[in-house]
Amino acid sequence: MAKLNLILILAVLASGVVLVHSAYESRRLFAERDKAKAEGQRLAADAERLAAERHAQATNLRVEQVARERLGMRVISPAVVASGVTP
Protein backbone atom coordinates (compact mmCIF):
# COMPACT_ATOMS: atom_id res chain seq x y z
CA MET A 1 0.00 0.00 0.00
CA ALA A 2 2.88 2.38 0.75
CA LYS A 3 4.24 1.84 -2.75
CA LEU A 4 0.88 2.74 -4.26
CA ASN A 5 0.67 5.88 -2.12
CA LEU A 6 4.18 6.91 -3.19
CA ILE A 7 3.35 6.35 -6.86
CA LEU A 8 0.12 8.36 -6.53
CA ILE A 9 1.92 11.21 -4.74
CA LEU A 10 4.57 11.32 -7.48
CA ALA A 11 1.84 11.30 -10.15
CA VAL A 12 0.04 14.19 -8.44
CA LEU A 13 3.29 16.17 -8.14
CA ALA A 14 4.19 15.49 -11.77
CA SER A 15 0.76 16.53 -12.99
CA GLY A 16 1.02 19.71 -10.86
CA VAL A 17 4.38 20.57 -12.41
CA VAL A 18 3.00 19.95 -15.90
CA LEU A 19 -0.05 22.10 -15.10
CA VAL A 20 2.09 24.99 -13.86
CA HIS A 21 4.37 24.73 -16.89
CA SER A 22 1.46 24.71 -19.34
CA ALA A 23 -0.14 27.71 -17.60
CA TYR A 24 3.18 29.59 -17.83
CA GLU A 25 3.55 28.74 -21.53
CA SER A 26 -0.02 29.79 -22.18
CA ARG A 27 0.55 33.21 -20.60
CA ARG A 28 3.85 33.64 -22.43
CA LEU A 29 2.31 32.78 -25.79
CA PHE A 30 -0.67 35.05 -25.13
CA ALA A 31 1.67 37.97 -24.41
CA GLU A 32 3.67 37.18 -27.53
CA ARG A 33 0.48 37.08 -29.60
CA ASP A 34 -0.55 40.49 -28.25
CA LYS A 35 2.85 41.93 -29.17
CA ALA A 36 2.57 40.48 -32.67
CA LYS A 37 -0.95 41.84 -33.05
CA ALA A 38 0.20 45.33 -31.99
CA GLU A 39 3.13 45.13 -34.42
CA GLY A 40 0.75 44.09 -37.20
CA GLN A 41 -1.52 47.04 -36.48
CA ARG A 42 1.47 49.39 -36.49
CA LEU A 43 2.64 47.99 -39.82
CA ALA A 44 -0.86 48.29 -41.30
CA ALA A 45 -1.02 51.93 -40.21
CA ASP A 46 2.41 52.56 -41.76
CA ALA A 47 1.30 50.91 -45.00
CA GLU A 48 -1.79 53.13 -45.16
CA ARG A 49 0.30 56.23 -44.46
CA LEU A 50 2.81 55.28 -47.16
CA ALA A 51 0.02 54.60 -49.66
CA ALA A 52 -1.44 58.03 -48.93
CA GLU A 53 1.97 59.66 -49.36
CA ARG A 54 2.53 57.78 -52.63
CA HIS A 55 -0.86 58.92 -53.87
CA ALA A 56 -0.09 62.52 -52.91
CA GLN A 57 3.27 62.40 -54.70
CA ALA A 58 1.71 61.00 -57.87
CA THR A 59 -0.81 63.78 -58.47
CA ASN A 60 -0.57 65.68 -61.74
CA LEU A 61 0.30 68.96 -60.03
CA ARG A 62 3.12 67.35 -58.05
CA VAL A 63 4.56 65.65 -61.13
CA GLU A 64 4.41 68.92 -63.07
CA GLN A 65 6.08 70.79 -60.20
CA VAL A 66 8.92 68.27 -60.01
CA ALA A 67 9.34 68.34 -63.79
CA ARG A 68 9.69 72.12 -63.76
CA GLU A 69 11.93 72.44 -60.70
CA ARG A 70 14.24 69.43 -60.84
CA LEU A 71 14.27 68.58 -64.52
CA GLY A 72 13.99 72.10 -65.93
CA MET A 73 11.11 71.14 -68.20
CA ARG A 74 8.68 73.70 -69.51
CA VAL A 75 5.35 73.78 -71.31
CA ILE A 76 5.75 73.41 -75.01
CA SER A 77 4.03 75.82 -77.38
CA PRO A 78 2.65 75.03 -80.83
CA ALA A 79 5.10 77.47 -82.42
CA VAL A 80 8.08 75.52 -81.13
CA VAL A 81 6.63 72.25 -82.37
CA ALA A 82 5.87 73.62 -85.85
CA SER A 83 9.26 75.26 -86.38
CA GLY A 84 11.36 72.64 -84.65
CA VAL A 85 13.46 75.39 -83.02
CA THR A 86 14.33 75.06 -79.38
CA PRO A 87 14.03 78.34 -77.49
Side-chain angles (χ1 to χ4, degrees), residues 53-86:
E53 285 181 16
R54 183 181 62 210
H55 179 69
Q57 292 293 323
T59 61
N60 289 338
L61 292 175
R62 176 72 179 146
V63 170
E64 186 176 338
Q65 178 186 11
V66 169
R68 287 176 195 253
E69 291 174 2
R70 291 187 190 165
L71 302 176
M73 298 176 88
R74 62 190 178 283
V75 177
I76 194 162
S77 69
V80 173
V81 174
S83 67
V85 178
T86 56

Side-chain angles (χ1 to χ4, degrees), residues 8-9 12 21-22 30 33 40 49 51 59 69 77-78 80 82 86:
L8 290 175
I9 288 173
V12 167
H21 178 69
S22 67
F30 187 77
R33 186 194 72 157
R49 181 184 54 82
T59 61
E69 291 174 2
S77 69
V80 173
T86 56

Side-chain angles (χ1 to χ4, degrees), residues 4-47:
L4 181 62
N5 285 341
L6 181 62
I7 290 172
L8 290 175
I9 288 173
L10 290 176
V12 167
L13 288 175
S15 68
V17 168
V18 169
L19 178 67
V20 167
H21 178 69
S22 67
Y24 169 76
E25 276 297 308
S26 174
R27 282 191 294 266
R28 186 183 68 77
L29 290 173
F30 187 77
E32 190 174 318
R33 186 194 72 157
D34 280 349
K35 285 180 187 175
K37 191 184 260 187
E39 180 71 10
Q41 289 173 346
R42 185 187 66 79
L43 290 173
D46 283 349

